Amino acid sequence: MELNEKSPDALLDLRGMLALAAVAEFGSVAAAASRLGWSHPTADHHLRRLEASLGGKLLERHPRGSKLTEFGLIVAQQARRTLTLNTETRELATSWLEHRAQRVRLGVFPTAAGLIPAAVQLATEAGIDLVVSLDETVSLRAGLEAGDLDIAVLFTAGPRATNRNSAYTLRLLRSEPMLLATPSNHPHANNTAVQLSDFAADRWAVGASDHDPVDSEIARRCEMAGFSQRVGMRSDDYRVILQLVAEGLFVAAVPASVVAADDPRLRLLPFTEPLLHRDTVIATGRRNPAIAAVISALRQAAGEVFRAEHLPAE
């Protein structure tokens, strides 16, 4: 549908409103043009265009100058409100765009919290406002899907084909073997590798989440070995888990990095055929310079943190 200037749906000339508000404030078209940095003909052109759009006279023009009509005074009042809203909209848009370009929302799973101090420092030096939250992998994935996070540091149970089919771009930070922690007096404590069927009668300590990627993979392998895993405890604190395993209460799969020291009460067996690793990955579905800078900071931080013997316990 074509719109003419007098159509109710026609867009009004904001420059005409700006000129009208200036005339109301400074008393004449000449004074308004001067304050706006326009020529007199330019100001008059936009005022006449606004008059044509509204269908009424805004100014009484005389050889000695012009003054607003009663109709012009009413429109000038509304024009000031419209111009204020226009300015606020521009400021809001500029602020949002600048803020979004500079702010990056990062989620990290608790065991990888050691990455945070160096990553925040590096991001701050790059002029990025890095907002960090700690949460479990399943919640971090949900945050990415909902758009509440720009980047998430997750862990996956590698190697798995499903890891390569993620909806997000995954960048590997670290891959570490998973070990089965058993009490040293367990009948199969001296095995050279994990045979899951040997632990069918044991109670397992697993993560607090029902959707932990490593726990889900182990449960799947147990089913393939002909039994359902018996869950005896849920916790994300590996120190507590290892202590209770040492007491003979549970067995548990743990990443190699959380085993603080040799404990004669524990035995640690490797998963083999297929191997089981916990892969720490950076996941993101978006890319801009600020996100790229944070990813670079995380990689640099990982180079320092993962050289340490142990990560903080969950």
Side-chain angles (χ1 to χ4, degrees):
M1 179 179 66
E2 293 185 2
L3 301 177
N4 59 47
E5 287 190 330
K6 292 186 178 181
S7 168
D9 296 322
L11 298 177
L12 296 176
D13 183 356
L14 284 178
R15 287 181 175 271
M17 291 189 181
L18 186 59
L20 183 65
V23 171
E25 182 174 0
F26 301 113
S28 70
V29 175
S34 176
R35 294 301 294 261
L36 292 172
W38 299 354
S39 68
H40 189 287
T42 297
D44 195 59
H45 165 76
H46 286 292
L47 286 165
R48 290 183 184 279
R49 184 174 180 183
L50 183 61
E51 284 181 328
S53 297
L54 294 172
K57 288 187 66 174
L58 299 171
L59 296 171
E60 290 288 354
R61 293 174 173 84
H62 303 284
R64 290 180 143 184
S66 304
K67 69 174 184 178
L68 272 68
T69 63
E70 184 178 1
F71 177 63
L73 290 170
I74 294 171
V75 174
Q77 183 178 10
Q78 187 64 32
R80 282 190 287 266
R81 295 169 59 184
T82 302
L83 292 167
T84 298
L85 180 60
N86 179 71
T87 300
E88 291 174 351
T89 302
R90 284 188 173 275
E91 290 174 351
L92 176 63
T94 299
S95 174
W96 189 90
L97 289 171
E98 291 178 351
H99 190 61
R100 188 174 180 84
Q102 294 299 316
R103 171 169 285 189
V104 175
R105 301 158 300 170
L106 169 67
V108 180
F109 70 92
T111 305
L115 296 171
I116 294 173
V120 170
Q121 180 179 348
L122 291 167
T124 301
E125 290 171 357
I128 296 166
D129 179 17
L130 187 60
V131 180
V132 184
S133 57
L134 285 179
D135 214 330
E136 300 305 322
T137 286
V138 62
S139 298
L140 297 177
R141 286 188 180 275
L144 282 173
E145 291 175 3
D148 297 328
L149 293 174
D150 300 305
I151 307 172
V153 177
L154 313 169
F155 66 88
T156 65
R160 288 287 304 279
T162 52
N163 292 346
R164 297 190 292 272
N165 296 331
S166 171
Y168 313 105
T169 301
L170 299 181
R171 296 169 177 83
L172 182 66
L173 281 179
R174 185 194 201 194
S175 183
E176 58 179 323
M178 294 297 297
L179 304 172
L180 182 64
T182 74
S184 59
N185 61 358
H186 191 282
H188 299 284
N190 294 319
N191 291 5
T192 57
V194 174
Q195 297 292 330
L196 282 173
S197 58
D198 293 336
F199 302 92
D202 288 284
R203 295 192 303 162
W204 290 66
V206 301
S209 169
D210 288 332
H211 304 285
D212 182 294
V214 173
D215 287 341
S216 297
E217 172 62 7
I218 293 172
R220 186 186 72 86
R221 294 188 182 194
C222 290
E223 293 289 343
M224 293 182 65
F227 70 97
S228 295
Q229 187 183 44
R230 295 178 61 202
V231 176
M233 175 188 177
R234 289 189 177 275
S235 174
D236 289 322
D237 190 327
Y238 281 122
R239 289 172 297 183
V240 172
I241 287 174
L242 288 170
Q243 180 179 348
L244 294 177
V245 169
E247 295 290 339
L249 299 178
F250 308 106
V251 297
V254 298
S257 63
V258 305
V259 183
D262 291 337
D263 186 332
R265 301 175 302 163
L266 287 174
R267 293 290 185 272
L268 299 166
L269 307 179
F271 287 86
T272 59
E273 297 186 7
L275 297 174
L276 181 62
H277 289 78
R278 185 175 78 164
D279 293 344
T280 301
V281 299
I282 299 173
T284 181
R286 300 176 52 239
R287 192 66 181 257
N288 64 35
I291 289 175
V294 172
I295 290 172
S296 177
L298 285 167
R299 285 175 163 171
Q300 187 172 338
E304 298 297 327
V305 171
F306 290 150
R307 276 200 289 267
E309 184 178 1
H310 307 293
L311 288 171
E314 288 181 335

